[in-house]
Amino acid sequence: MATLKVTLEYDGTAYAGWQRQPGQPTIQEAVETAVRSITQTDISVIAAGRTDAGVHALGQVVSFKSDKPLSPDEWLRALNATLPDDISIRFVEQAPDDFHARYSAVKKLYAYRILHRPSRSALERTRAWHIYGKLDLNAMREAAGHLVGKHDFSSFQGHPTDVENPVCDLQRLEIIADQDMVRIEIEADRFLKQMVRAMVGTLVETGQEKRQPEEIKRILEAKDRRAAGYTAPAHGLYLVSVTYGD
């Protein structure tokens, strides 16, 4: 049985998220259906992160085991020939037997895209959050600085959740402006449910002068989701990459 590490990208617009759900299209269902068509076997596919409905990925990683005698290149071609157009396999590698897409990960990078201009976009309507009013990026950057580090992020955790440990080590949070597109990059060892979207919503409220940057400290100390801002729309979020140890 070979252990395969598969990196894929997808447009999450038409899907109810990664995790398989009865009666709804999901990324996991599409990938497992493609694997079944190749192997004629039901195989469970494990993802590095369970993205929500509407969230996209540039570098999601999944793992599974199979005794199908195919090379990584053959797996790549076979999967891409079977998957729908909005899901694409980028790389396939044979991994060590103990590799696990979720538990072997040491950090993940997410990006959130905000289109900041007066007029809406026809092309970015499902790929970026359109904000047309005031947005003070310097205030957002000041607020972001208080989020970096090892903290209890309970105030930014969506409900319901079964996570027992709400402490994450947020290693990088950058806000990058490129003309009318604002890109927020967030890298951490782990993330809680809807944590990135809650942080982005709170940072945007700061940029709109609804909050002061120093409020972030109080929000973290509260350990209460009601203390933070609104949850940013899913369609602006991307899982960019997953990093693994040796």
Side-chain angles (χ1 to χ4, degrees):
M1 295 283 284
T3 300
L4 295 166
K5 174 187 174 186
V6 180
T7 303
L8 63 154
E9 65 181 25
Y10 49 81
D11 179 339
T13 304
Y15 298 92
W18 161 263
Q19 191 169 7
R20 182 184 284 273
Q21 300 176 48
Q24 297 192 67
T26 65
I27 306 293
Q28 182 180 19
E29 179 187 24
V31 174
E32 289 180 348
T33 298
V35 171
R36 186 187 309 114
S37 73
I38 296 166
T39 63
Q40 287 75 57
T41 305
D42 289 329
I43 295 175
S44 178
V45 175
I46 299 163
R50 298 174 179 177
T51 52
D52 293 333
V55 174
H56 313 296
L58 302 173
Q60 172 74 280
V61 176
V62 304
S63 60
F64 62 91
K65 296 180 184 293
S66 174
D67 58 4
K68 188 75 173 179
L70 296 177
S71 70
D73 283 346
E74 289 171 325
W75 268 110
L76 186 148
R77 291 194 296 271
L79 286 168
N80 276 335
T82 308
L83 286 164
D85 291 343
D86 50 7
I87 304 174
S88 175
I89 306 301
R90 296 183 58 196
F91 312 107
V92 178
E93 308 165 65
Q94 186 162 338
D97 290 342
D98 62 350
F99 176 78
H100 189 286
R102 181 180 178 188
Y103 297 130
S104 299
V106 296
K107 62 181 176 180
K108 299 172 189 172
L109 172 63
Y110 281 90
Y112 197 96
R113 299 173 73 240
I114 295 172
L115 179 66
H116 184 219
R117 72 182 196 191
S119 59
R120 63 180 177 83
S121 170
L123 300 180
E124 298 284 359
R125 68 189 186 282
T126 61
R127 299 184 180 184
W129 182 14
H130 177 220
I131 295 177
Y132 55 84
K134 179 179 177 60
L135 199 61
D136 185 340
L137 298 186
N138 288 329
M140 291 172 64
R141 292 185 180 107
E142 183 181 345
H146 298 302
L147 290 167
V148 175
K150 198 168 188 177
H151 304 292
D152 181 326
F153 282 94
S154 295
S155 291
F156 297 95
Q157 179 174 229
H159 297 288
T161 179
D162 57 0
V163 173
E164 296 180 359
N165 177 19
V167 176
C168 305
D169 183 6
L170 201 158
Q171 299 157 15
R172 183 167 68 90
L173 202 170
E174 292 186 51
I175 300 173
I176 305 155
D178 182 8
Q179 297 183 26
D180 56 11
M181 188 65 70
V182 178
R183 180 181 174 95
I184 303 175
E185 295 187 353
I186 305 176
E187 191 168 32
D189 62 341
R190 56 195 290 268
F191 290 88
L192 307 178
K193 181 179 180 180
Q194 296 182 348
M195 175 177 157
V196 174
R197 292 167 58 196
M199 288 193 296
V200 169
T202 305
L203 291 174
V204 165
E205 287 185 356
T206 305
Q208 294 172 330
E209 299 183 346
K210 297 176 182 177
R211 294 177 182 270
Q212 295 302 310
E214 57 270 19
E215 282 188 52
I216 296 295
K217 297 178 183 179
R218 179 184 58 79
I219 292 170
L220 286 168
E221 291 168 357
K223 300 178 184 177
D224 185 338
R225 179 65 185 89
R226 293 170 294 182
Y230 47 68
T231 302
H235 64 267
L237 183 60
Y238 297 74
L239 173 55
V240 177
S241 62
V242 185
T243 301
Y244 295 90
D246 294 337

Coordinates of all heavy atoms in Angstrom, one line a residue, residues 161-229:
T161 N -18.0 23.9 18.0 CA -16.7 23.3 17.7 C -16.4 22.3 18.8 O -16.9 22.4 19.9 CB -15.6 24.4 17.7 OG1 -14.4 23.8 17.5 CG2 -15.6 25.2 19.0
D162 N -15.6 21.3 18.5 CA -15.2 20.3 19.4 C -13.7 20.4 19.8 O -13.1 19.5 20.4 CB -15.5 18.9 18.9 CG -14.8 18.6 17.6 OD1 -14.1 19.5 17.1 OD2 -15.0 17.5 17.0
V163 N -13.1 21.6 19.4 CA -11.7 21.8 19.7 C -11.5 22.0 21.2 O -12.1 22.9 21.8 CB -11.1 22.9 18.9 CG1 -9.7 23.3 19.3 CG2 -11.2 22.6 17.4
E164 N -10.6 21.3 21.8 CA -10.3 21.4 23.2 C -9.2 22.5 23.5 O -9.2 23.1 24.6 CB -9.9 20.1 23.9 CG -11.1 19.1 23.8 CD -10.7 17.7 24.4 OE1 -9.5 17.6 24.9 OE2 -11.5 16.8 24.4
N165 N -8.3 22.6 22.6 CA -7.2 23.6 22.8 C -7.3 24.8 21.8 O -7.1 24.6 20.6 CB -5.8 22.8 22.6 CG -4.7 23.8 22.7 OD1 -4.8 24.9 23.3 ND2 -3.5 23.4 22.1
P166 N -7.6 26.0 22.4 CA -7.8 27.1 21.5 C -6.6 28.0 21.3 O -6.6 29.0 20.7 CB -8.9 27.9 22.3 CG -8.6 27.7 23.7 CD -8.0 26.2 23.8
V167 N -5.4 27.4 21.7 CA -4.2 28.2 21.6 C -3.5 27.9 20.3 O -3.3 26.8 19.9 CB -3.2 27.8 22.8 CG1 -1.9 28.6 22.6 CG2 -3.8 28.2 24.1
C168 N -3.2 29.0 19.6 CA -2.5 28.9 18.3 C -1.3 29.8 18.3 O -1.3 30.9 18.9 CB -3.4 29.3 17.1 SG -5.0 28.4 17.1
D169 N -0.3 29.4 17.5 CA 0.9 30.3 17.4 C 0.8 31.0 16.0 O 1.1 30.4 15.0 CB 2.2 29.4 17.5 CG 3.5 30.2 17.4 OD1 3.4 31.5 17.4 OD2 4.5 29.6 17.3
L170 N 0.3 32.2 16.0 CA 0.2 33.0 14.8 C 1.6 33.6 14.5 O 2.0 34.5 15.2 CB -0.9 34.0 14.9 CG -1.5 34.5 13.6 CD1 -2.9 35.1 13.9 CD2 -0.6 35.6 13.0
Q171 N 2.2 33.1 13.4 CA 3.6 33.5 13.2 C 3.7 34.7 12.2 O 4.8 35.4 12.3 CB 4.3 32.3 12.6 CG 4.4 31.1 13.6 CD 4.6 29.8 12.9 OE1 5.0 29.7 11.8 NE2 4.3 28.7 13.6
R172 N 2.7 35.0 11.4 CA 2.8 36.1 10.5 C 1.4 36.6 10.1 O 0.6 35.7 9.8 CB 3.6 35.6 9.2 CG 3.8 36.7 8.2 CD 4.9 36.3 7.1 NE 4.4 35.2 6.3 CZ 3.7 35.5 5.1 NH1 3.5 36.7 4.7 NH2 3.3 34.4 4.4
L173 N 1.3 37.9 10.1 CA 0.0 38.5 9.6 C 0.4 39.8 8.9 O 0.8 40.7 9.5 CB -0.9 38.8 10.8 CG -2.4 38.9 10.4 CD1 -3.3 38.9 11.7 CD2 -2.7 40.1 9.6
E174 N 0.3 39.7 7.6 CA 0.7 40.9 6.7 C -0.5 41.4 5.9 O -1.3 40.6 5.4 CB 1.8 40.5 5.8 CG 3.2 40.2 6.5 CD 4.3 40.0 5.5 OE1 4.4 40.8 4.6 OE2 5.0 38.9 5.5
I175 N -0.6 42.7 5.8 CA -1.6 43.3 4.9 C -0.9 44.0 3.8 O -0.2 45.0 4.0 CB -2.4 44.3 5.8 CG1 -3.1 43.5 6.9 CG2 -3.5 45.0 4.9 CD1 -3.8 44.4 7.9
I176 N -1.2 43.5 2.6 CA -0.4 44.0 1.4 C -1.4 44.6 0.4 O -2.4 44.0 0.1 CB 0.3 42.8 0.7 CG1 1.2 42.1 1.7 CG2 1.0 43.2 -0.5 CD1 1.5 40.6 1.4
A177 N -1.2 45.8 0.0 CA -2.0 46.5 -0.9 C -1.4 46.6 -2.3 O -0.2 46.9 -2.4 CB -2.3 48.0 -0.4
D178 N -2.1 46.2 -3.3 CA -1.7 46.2 -4.7 C -2.8 46.9 -5.5 O -3.8 46.2 -5.9 CB -1.4 44.8 -5.2 CG -0.9 44.8 -6.6 OD1 -0.6 45.9 -7.2 OD2 -0.7 43.7 -7.2
Q179 N -2.7 48.2 -5.7 CA -3.7 49.0 -6.4 C -5.0 48.8 -5.6 O -5.0 49.2 -4.4 CB -3.8 48.6 -7.8 CG -2.5 48.9 -8.6 CD -2.7 48.6 -10.1 OE1 -3.8 48.6 -10.7 NE2 -1.6 48.3 -10.7
D180 N -6.1 48.3 -6.2 CA -7.3 48.2 -5.4 C -7.6 46.9 -4.8 O -8.7 46.6 -4.3 CB -8.5 48.6 -6.3 CG -8.6 47.8 -7.6 OD1 -7.9 46.7 -7.7 OD2 -9.4 48.1 -8.5
M181 N -6.6 46.0 -4.8 CA -6.7 44.7 -4.1 C -5.9 44.7 -2.9 O -4.7 45.0 -2.9 CB -6.2 43.6 -5.1 CG -6.5 42.2 -4.5 SD -8.3 41.8 -4.4 CE -8.8 41.7 -6.1
V182 N -6.5 44.3 -1.8 CA -5.8 44.2 -0.5 C -5.7 42.7 -0.2 O -6.8 42.0 -0.2 CB -6.6 44.9 0.6 CG1 -5.9 44.7 2.0 CG2 -6.7 46.4 0.3
R183 N -4.5 42.2 0.2 CA -4.3 40.8 0.4 C -3.8 40.7 1.9 O -2.8 41.3 2.3 CB -3.3 40.2 -0.5 CG -3.0 38.7 -0.3 CD -1.9 38.3 -1.3 NE -1.4 36.9 -1.1 CZ -1.9 35.9 -1.7 NH1 -2.9 36.0 -2.6 NH2 -1.4 34.7 -1.5
I184 N -4.5 39.9 2.7 CA -4.2 39.7 4.1 C -3.6 38.2 4.2 O -4.4 37.3 3.9 CB -5.4 39.9 5.0 CG1 -5.9 41.3 4.9 CG2 -5.0 39.6 6.5 CD1 -7.2 41.6 5.7
E185 N -2.4 38.1 4.5 CA -1.7 36.8 4.6 C -1.5 36.4 6.1 O -1.0 37.2 6.9 CB -0.4 36.8 3.9 CG -0.5 37.0 2.4 CD 0.8 36.8 1.7 OE1 1.9 36.6 2.3 OE2 0.8 36.8 0.4
I186 N -2.0 35.2 6.5 CA -2.0 34.8 7.9 C -1.4 33.4 7.9 O -1.9 32.5 7.3 CB -3.4 34.8 8.5 CG1 -4.0 36.2 8.3 CG2 -3.3 34.4 9.9 CD1 -5.5 36.3 8.8
E187 N -0.3 33.3 8.7 CA 0.4 32.0 8.8 C 0.5 31.6 10.3 O 0.8 32.4 11.1 CB 1.8 32.1 8.2 CG 2.5 30.7 8.0 CD 3.7 30.8 7.1 OE1 4.4 31.9 7.2 OE2 4.0 29.9 6.4
A188 N 0.1 30.3 10.6 CA 0.1 29.8 11.9 C 0.3 28.3 12.0 O 0.2 27.7 10.9 CB -1.2 30.2 12.7
D189 N 0.6 27.8 13.2 CA 0.8 26.4 13.3 C -0.5 25.6 13.2 O -0.5 24.5 12.7 CB 1.5 26.0 14.6 CG 0.7 26.4 15.9 OD1 -0.2 27.3 15.7 OD2 1.0 25.9 16.9
R190 N -1.6 26.3 13.5 CA -2.9 25.7 13.4 C -4.0 26.8 13.4 O -3.7 28.0 13.8 CB -3.2 24.7 14.5 CG -3.0 25.3 15.9 CD -2.9 24.2 17.0 NE -4.2 23.5 17.2 CZ -5.1 23.9 18.0 NH1 -5.0 25.0 18.8 NH2 -6.2 23.2 18.2
F191 N -5.2 26.5 13.0 CA -6.3 27.5 13.0 C -7.5 26.9 13.6 O -7.8 25.7 13.4 CB -6.6 27.9 11.6 CG -5.5 28.8 11.0 CD1 -4.4 28.2 10.3 CD2 -5.5 30.2 11.1 CE1 -3.4 29.0 9.7 CE2 -4.5 31.0 10.5 CZ -3.5 30.4 9.8
L192 N -8.3 27.7 14.3 CA -9.6 27.3 14.8 C -10.7 27.5 13.7 O -10.4 28.1 12.7 CB -9.9 28.1 16.0 CG -8.9 28.1 17.2 CD1 -9.4 29.0 18.3 CD2 -8.6 26.7 17.7
K193 N -11.8 27.0 14.0 CA -13.0 27.1 13.0 C -13.3 28.6 12.7 O -13.5 29.4 13.7 CB -14.2 26.4 13.6 CG -15.4 26.4 12.7 CD -16.6 25.7 13.3 CE -17.8 25.7 12.4 NZ -18.9 25.0 13.0
Q194 N -13.2 29.0 11.5 CA -13.6 30.3 11.0 C -12.7 31.4 11.6 O -13.0 32.6 11.6 CB -15.0 30.6 11.2 CG -16.0 29.7 10.5 CD -17.5 30.1 10.6 OE1 -17.8 30.9 11.5 NE2 -18.3 29.5 9.8
M195 N -11.5 31.0 12.2 CA -10.6 31.9 12.8 C -10.1 33.0 11.9 O -10.2 34.2 12.3 CB -9.5 31.2 13.4 CG -8.4 32.0 14.1 SD -7.1 30.9 14.8 CE -5.7 32.0 14.8
V196 N -9.7 32.7 10.7 CA -9.2 33.7 9.8 C -10.3 34.7 9.4 O -10.1 35.9 9.4 CB -8.6 33.0 8.5 CG1 -8.2 34.1 7.5 CG2 -7.4 32.1 8.9
R197 N -11.5 34.2 9.1 CA -12.6 35.1 8.7 C -13.0 36.0 9.8 O -13.3 37.2 9.6 CB -13.7 34.3 8.2 CG -13.4 33.5 6.9 CD -14.5 32.5 6.5 NE -15.8 33.1 6.5 CZ -16.9 32.3 6.5 NH1 -16.9 31.0 6.6 NH2 -18.1 32.9 6.4
A198 N -13.0 35.5 11.1 CA -13.3 36.4 12.2 C -12.2 37.4 12.4 O -12.6 38.6 12.7 CB -13.5 35.5 13.5
M199 N -11.0 37.1 12.2 CA -9.9 38.1 12.4 C -10.0 39.1 11.3 O -9.8 40.3 11.5 CB -8.5 37.4 12.4 CG -8.2 36.6 13.6 SD -6.5 36.1 13.7 CE -6.3 35.0 12.3
V200 N -10.2 38.7 10.1 CA -10.4 39.6 8.9 C -11.5 40.6 9.2 O -11.4 41.8 9.0 CB -10.5 38.9 7.6 CG1 -10.9 39.9 6.5 CG2 -9.2 38.2 7.2
G201 N -12.7 40.1 9.6 CA -13.8 40.9 9.9 C -13.5 42.0 10.9 O -13.9 43.1 10.8
T202 N -12.8 41.5 12.0 CA -12.4 42.5 13.1 C -11.4 43.5 12.6 O -11.5 44.7 12.9 CB -11.9 41.7 14.2 OG1 -12.8 40.7 14.6 CG2 -11.6 42.6 15.4
L203 N -10.5 43.1 11.8 CA -9.5 44.0 11.2 C -10.2 45.0 10.3 O -9.8 46.2 10.3 CB -8.4 43.3 10.5 CG -7.4 42.5 11.3 CD1 -6.5 41.7 10.4 CD2 -6.6 43.3 12.3
V204 N -11.1 44.6 9.5 CA -11.9 45.5 8.6 C -12.7 46.5 9.5 O -12.7 47.7 9.1 CB -12.8 44.7 7.7 CG1 -13.8 45.6 7.0 CG2 -12.0 44.0 6.6
E205 N -13.3 46.1 10.5 CA -14.0 47.0 11.4 C -13.0 48.1 11.9 O -13.4 49.3 12.1 CB -14.6 46.3 12.6 CG -15.9 45.5 12.2 CD -16.6 44.9 13.4 OE1 -16.1 45.0 14.5 OE2 -17.6 44.2 13.2
T206 N -11.8 47.7 12.2 CA -10.8 48.6 12.6 C -10.4 49.6 11.5 O -10.3 50.8 11.7 CB -9.5 47.9 13.1 OG1 -9.8 46.9 14.1 CG2 -8.5 48.9 13.6
G207 N -10.3 49.1 10.3 CA -10.0 50.0 9.1 C -11.2 50.9 8.8 O -11.0 52.0 8.2
Q208 N -12.4 50.5 9.2 CA -13.6 51.4 9.0 C -13.8 52.3 10.2 O -14.8 53.0 10.3 CB -14.8 50.5 8.8 CG -14.7 49.7 7.5 CD -15.9 48.7 7.4 OE1 -16.4 48.2 8.4 NE2 -16.3 48.4 6.2
E209 N -12.9 52.3 11.1 CA -12.9 53.2 12.3 C -14.1 52.9 13.3 O -14.6 53.7 14.0 CB -13.0 54.7 11.9 CG -11.7 55.1 11.2 CD -11.7 56.6 10.8 OE1 -12.8 57.3 11.0 OE2 -10.7 57.1 10.5
K210 N -14.5 51.6 13.2 CA -15.5 51.1 14.2 C -14.9 50.6 15.5 O -15.6 50.4 16.5 CB -16.4 50.0 13.5 CG -17.2 50.5 12.3 CD -17.9 49.4 11.7 CE -18.7 49.8 10.4 NZ -19.4 48.7 9.8
R211 N -13.6 50.4 15.4 CA -12.8 49.9 16.5 C -11.5 50.6 16.5 O -11.0 51.0 15.5 CB -12.6 48.4 16.5 CG -13.8 47.5 16.6 CD -13.4 46.0 16.4 NE -14.6 45.2 16.5 CZ -15.1 44.7 17.6 NH1 -14.5 44.9 18.8 NH2 -16.2 43.9 17.6
Q212 N -10.8 50.6 17.7 CA -9.4 51.1 17.8 C -8.5 49.9 17.7 O -8.8 48.8 18.2 CB -9.3 51.9 19.1 CG -10.1 53.2 19.1 CD -9.8 54.1 18.0 OE1 -8.6 54.4 17.7 NE2 -10.8 54.6 17.3
P213 N -7.3 50.1 17.1 CA -6.3 49.0 17.0 C -6.0 48.3 18.4 O -5.9 47.1 18.4 CB -5.1 49.7 16.5 CG -5.6 50.8 15.7 CD -6.8 51.3 16.5
E214 N -5.9 49.1 19.5 CA -5.6 48.5 20.7 C -6.7 47.6 21.3 O -6.4 46.9 22.3 CB -5.2 49.6 21.7 CG -6.2 50.6 22.0 CD -6.1 51.8 21.0 OE1 -5.4 51.7 20.0 OE2 -6.6 52.9 21.4
E215 N -7.9 47.7 20.8 CA -9.0 46.8 21.3 C -8.7 45.3 21.1 O -9.3 44.5 21.8 CB -10.3 47.2 20.5 CG -11.0 48.4 21.0 CD -12.3 48.6 20.4 OE1 -13.1 47.6 20.4 OE2 -12.6 49.6 19.8
I216 N -7.8 45.0 20.2 CA -7.5 43.6 19.9 C -7.0 42.9 21.2 O -7.4 41.7 21.4 CB -6.4 43.5 18.8 CG1 -6.9 44.0 17.5 CG2 -5.9 42.0 18.7 CD1 -8.1 43.3 16.9
K217 N -6.2 43.6 22.0 CA -5.8 43.0 23.3 C -6.9 42.6 24.1 O -7.0 41.5 24.7 CB -4.9 44.0 24.0 CG -3.6 44.4 23.3 CD -2.8 45.4 24.1 CE -1.5 45.8 23.4 NZ -0.8 46.8 24.2
R218 N -7.9 43.5 24.3 CA -9.1 43.2 25.1 C -9.9 42.0 24.5 O -10.4 41.2 25.3 CB -9.9 44.4 25.2 CG -11.2 44.3 26.0 CD -12.1 45.5 26.0 NE -12.5 45.9 24.7 CZ -13.4 45.3 24.0 NH1 -14.1 44.3 24.4 NH2 -13.7 45.8 22.8
I219 N -10.0 42.0 23.2 CA -10.7 40.9 22.5 C -10.1 39.6 22.8 O -10.8 38.6 23.2 CB -10.8 41.2 21.0 CG1 -11.7 42.4 20.7 CG2 -11.4 40.0 20.3 CD1 -11.6 42.9 19.3
L220 N -8.8 39.5 22.7 CA -8.1 38.2 23.0 C -8.3 37.8 24.5 O -8.6 36.6 24.8 CB -6.6 38.4 22.7 CG -6.2 38.4 21.3 CD1 -4.7 38.8 21.1 CD2 -6.4 37.0 20.6
E221 N -8.2 38.8 25.4 CA -8.4 38.5 26.8 C -9.8 38.0 27.1 O -10.0 37.2 28.0 CB -8.0 39.7 27.6 CG -6.5 40.1 27.6 CD -6.2 41.4 28.2 OE1 -7.2 42.1 28.6 OE2 -5.1 41.8 28.2
A222 N -10.8 38.5 26.4 CA -12.2 38.1 26.6 C -12.5 36.6 26.4 O -13.3 36.1 27.1 CB -13.1 39.0 25.8
K223 N -11.8 36.0 25.5 CA -12.0 34.6 25.2 C -13.5 34.3 24.9 O -14.1 33.3 25.4 CB -11.5 33.7 26.3 CG -10.0 33.9 26.5 CD -9.5 33.0 27.7 CE -8.0 33.3 28.0 NZ -7.5 32.5 29.1
D224 N -14.1 35.2 24.2 CA -15.6 35.2 23.9 C -15.8 35.7 22.5 O -15.4 36.8 22.2 CB -16.3 36.1 24.9 CG -17.8 36.0 24.8 OD1 -18.3 35.6 23.7 OD2 -18.5 36.4 25.8
R225 N -16.4 34.9 21.6 CA -16.6 35.2 20.2 C -17.4 36.5 20.1 O -17.2 37.3 19.2 CB -17.3 34.1 19.5 CG -17.6 34.4 18.0 CD -16.4 34.5 17.2 NE -16.6 34.9 15.9 CZ -16.7 36.2 15.4 NH1 -16.5 37.2 16.3 NH2 -16.9 36.4 14.2
R226 N -18.2 36.8 21.1 CA -19.1 38.1 21.0 C -18.2 39.3 21.1 O -18.7 40.4 20.7 CB -20.1 38.0 22.1 CG -21.2 37.0 21.8 CD -22.1 36.8 23.0 NE -21.3 36.3 24.2 CZ -21.9 36.1 25.4 NH1 -23.2 36.2 25.6 NH2 -21.2 35.6 26.4
A227 N -17.0 39.2 21.6 CA -16.1 40.4 21.8 C -15.5 40.8 20.5 O -15.1 42.0 20.3 CB -15.0 40.1 22.8
A228 N -15.4 39.9 19.5 CA -14.7 40.3 18.2 C -15.7 40.7 17.2 O -16.9 40.8 17.5 CB -14.0 39.0 17.7
G229 N -15.2 41.0 16.0 CA -16.1 41.6 14.9 C -16.8 40.5 14.1 O -16.8 39.3 14.5

